[in-house]
């Protein structure tokens, strides 16, 4: 088998480490572009969300390069993502390409079925080695998320604009040539050291904006027009609590092993949402409350057109905005969204937040709403 996987931010580095450690053959599909979306949209209905269209585009581009098996994770409660595996398999069959979808989550059939799926990748290696490789991939995911968090902090304070982006571009180029989780972890550490050597403006007091919403749109740079880089280069510190490593640790490992999971966002969301309704709605609501309590200047809520869980979130967020006196802007992304309009909305929101901080507004009547 020649494996591939859809893009989701830097998840390709985690998948690469995982497959390298098993000595498996794989193809990394081209990074998401308008062409990827165009290819995917050709085989999807208008009702399909942006992430699914990009997944189909990734699958077809990888198939052209020789891949015949695609790895994908499961969903989170009643969300379309939970059906992506079956939907992608049907799409592949309808198009007539040779592609087997392998969903890496604990299925209803239990750990025995998951083990059978992993065996397609690992071959006859021992169970102990499978656990070791999975744990190493998890560690790569954690370090990648920590590196991204460090970049967001440094970018908002760098004395020479573009210093972080220069190091990150070199990292993205070099990481493709490095094989195996051990070497990848060492290179992440080297890049972290470079970032820590960047000279900072010690007097900087940047605005702090949190990003919440649907996981794919908030993490994948193509889907959000590189939101974190754009805001960072405006001198804004960006925070995003939903990460790939959090997904792996809590929704794959801990959930599969029936271990306690991080539930701080569930507790924080209780006043507005009594139960899980699918996707990352509880994360969006709970983390918005937490960010407001932590003193963030504003929140940006992102989701793809037609995402039912985040439509629920959007209906609740005005109450949080009013109760906690924090501006929230919602942006809905689809294939018709233009980058220029997207950036203009960001700039306008940032201007509002600067004015709000400058005037030290604390009255409810003066709250600046984001949409």
């Amino acid at each position: 088998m020649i494996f591939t996987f859809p893009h989701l931010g830097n998840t390709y580095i985690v998948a690469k480490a995982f497959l390298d450690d098993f000595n498996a053959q794989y193809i990394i599909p081209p990074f998401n572009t308008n062409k990827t979306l165009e290819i995917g949209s050709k085989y999807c209905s208008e009702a399909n969300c942006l992430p699914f269209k990009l997944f189909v585009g990734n699958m077809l581009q990888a198939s052209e390069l020789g891949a015949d098996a695609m790895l994908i994770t499961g969903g989170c409660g009643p969300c379309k993502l939970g059906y992506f595996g079956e939907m992608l398999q049907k799409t592949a069959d309808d198009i007539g390409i040779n592609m087997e979808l392998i969903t890496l989550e604990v299925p209803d059939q239990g750990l025995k079925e998951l083990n059978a799926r992993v065996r397609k990748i690992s071959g006859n290696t021992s169970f102990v080695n499978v656990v070791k490789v999975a744990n190493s991939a998890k560690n790569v995911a954690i370090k990648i998320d920590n590196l991204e968090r460090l970049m967001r902090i440094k970018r908002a304070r760098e004395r020479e604009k573009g210093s972080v982006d220069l190091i990150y571009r070199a990292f993205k180029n070099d990481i493709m040539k490095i094989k195996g989780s051990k070497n990848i972890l060492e290179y992440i550490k080297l890049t972290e050291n470079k970032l820590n050597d960047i000279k900072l403006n010690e007097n900087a007091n940047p605005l702090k904006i949190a990003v919440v919403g649907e996981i794919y749109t908030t993490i994948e740079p193509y889907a959000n027009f590189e939101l974190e880089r754009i805001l960072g280069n405006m001198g804004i510190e960006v925070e995003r609590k939903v990460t790939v490593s959090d997904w792996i640790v809590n929704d794959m490992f801990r959930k599969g092993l029936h271990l306690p999971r991080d539930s701080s966002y569930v507790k924080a969301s209780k006043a507005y949402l009594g139960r899980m309704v699918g996707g990352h709605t509880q994360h969006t609501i709970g983390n918005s409350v937490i960010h407001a309590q932590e003193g963030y200047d504003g929140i940006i809520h992102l989701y793809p057109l037609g995402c039912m869980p985040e439509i629920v979130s959007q209906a609740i967020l005005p109450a949080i905005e009013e109760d906690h006196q924090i501006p929230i802007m919602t942006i809905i992304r689809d294939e018709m969204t233009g980058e220029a309009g997207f950036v203009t909305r960001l700039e306008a929101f940032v201007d509002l937040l600067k004015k709000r901080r400058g005037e030290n507004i604390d009255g409810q009547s003066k709250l600046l709403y984001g949409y």
Side-chain angles (χ1 to χ4, degrees), residues 1-5 62 66-71 98-102:
M1 278 182 164
I2 301 178
F3 299 96
T4 190
F5 36 81
D68 58 11
M70 189 176 208
L71 307 180
N98 178 29
M99 185 67 69
E100 179 179 349
L101 271 294
I102 300 173

Side-chain angles (χ1 to χ4, degrees), residues 30-50:
F31 291 111
N32 287 328
T33 62
N34 290 342
K35 183 179 179 183
T36 313
L37 183 56
E38 183 183 332
I39 293 171
S41 299
K42 184 178 177 182
Y43 296 99
C44 295
S45 77
E46 190 177 350
N48 288 133
C49 61
L50 182 84

Side-chain angles (χ1 to χ4, degrees), residues 152-207:
R152 295 195 292 265
I153 293 171
K154 298 289 183 181
R155 197 180 272 129
R157 296 169 173 81
E158 61 188 2
R159 191 180 297 173
E160 185 176 343
K161 283 298 174 189
S163 301
V164 169
D165 291 345
L166 190 64
I167 292 171
Y168 186 48
R169 278 198 296 274
F171 171 79
K172 297 267 287 183
N173 287 331
D174 294 345
I175 204 73
M176 298 292 275
K177 306 166 195 165
I178 298 173
K179 295 184 74 71
S181 59
K182 182 173 181 288
N183 294 328
I184 287 174
L185 285 168
E186 287 176 358
Y187 193 67
I188 292 171
K189 179 62 180 172
L190 181 66
T191 304
E192 185 182 310
N193 292 341
K194 290 179 182 176
L195 288 170
N196 282 323
D197 287 339
I198 288 177
K199 292 181 179 177
L200 304 179
N201 179 359
E202 301 298 335
N203 297 320
N205 182 23
L207 286 175

Side-chain angles (χ1 to χ4, degrees), residues 96-278:
I97 62 170
N98 178 29
M99 185 67 69
E100 179 179 349
L101 271 294
I102 300 173
T103 305
L104 295 179
E105 67 169 351
V106 180
D108 293 339
Q109 299 93 321
L111 290 171
K112 188 176 179 181
E113 171 60 23
L114 176 62
N115 182 54
R117 295 177 187 179
V118 173
R119 286 291 174 197
K120 292 182 180 181
I121 308 165
S122 66
N124 294 321
T125 189
S126 68
F127 176 75
V128 172
N129 193 47
V130 169
V131 173
K132 183 180 174 184
V133 169
N135 188 57
S136 296
K138 177 208 69 176
N139 291 337
V140 170
I142 291 172
K143 293 297 182 183
I144 287 287
D145 284 331
N146 289 343
L147 189 72
E148 291 181 3
R149 190 171 294 111
L150 181 63
M151 285 194 298
R152 295 195 292 265
I153 293 171
K154 298 289 183 181
R155 197 180 272 129
R157 296 169 173 81
E158 61 188 2
R159 191 180 297 173
E160 185 176 343
K161 283 298 174 189
S163 301
V164 169
D165 291 345
L166 190 64
I167 292 171
Y168 186 48
R169 278 198 296 274
F171 171 79
K172 297 267 287 183
N173 287 331
D174 294 345
I175 204 73
M176 298 292 275
K177 306 166 195 165
I178 298 173
K179 295 184 74 71
S181 59
K182 182 173 181 288
N183 294 328
I184 287 174
L185 285 168
E186 287 176 358
Y187 193 67
I188 292 171
K189 179 62 180 172
L190 181 66
T191 304
E192 185 182 310
N193 292 341
K194 290 179 182 176
L195 288 170
N196 282 323
D197 287 339
I198 288 177
K199 292 181 179 177
L200 304 179
N201 179 359
E202 301 298 335
N203 297 320
N205 182 23
L207 286 175
K208 295 175 73 175
I209 294 179
V211 176
V212 299
E214 188 270 335
I215 184 170
Y216 186 90
T217 318
T218 55
I219 293 178
E220 169 56 33
Y222 174 78
N224 60 41
F225 297 112
E226 298 193 68
L227 168 79
E228 293 176 2
R229 184 184 61 78
I230 292 171
L231 289 175
N233 287 330
M234 290 181 192
I236 312 294
E237 183 179 331
V238 181
E239 170 63 346
R240 167 173 50 79
K241 288 187 181 293
V242 172
T243 62
V244 171
S245 61
D246 177 71
W247 175 280
I248 292 173
V249 171
N250 283 299
D251 292 293
M252 292 181 73
F253 285 6
R254 290 186 174 274
K255 180 182 176 183
L257 298 172
H258 303 289
L259 295 173
R261 292 185 280 167
D262 174 27
S263 59
S264 57
Y265 63 90
V266 176
K267 184 178 177 183
S269 69
K270 280 289 183 186
Y272 303 94
L273 187 67
R275 54 169 297 181
M276 182 184 185
V277 297

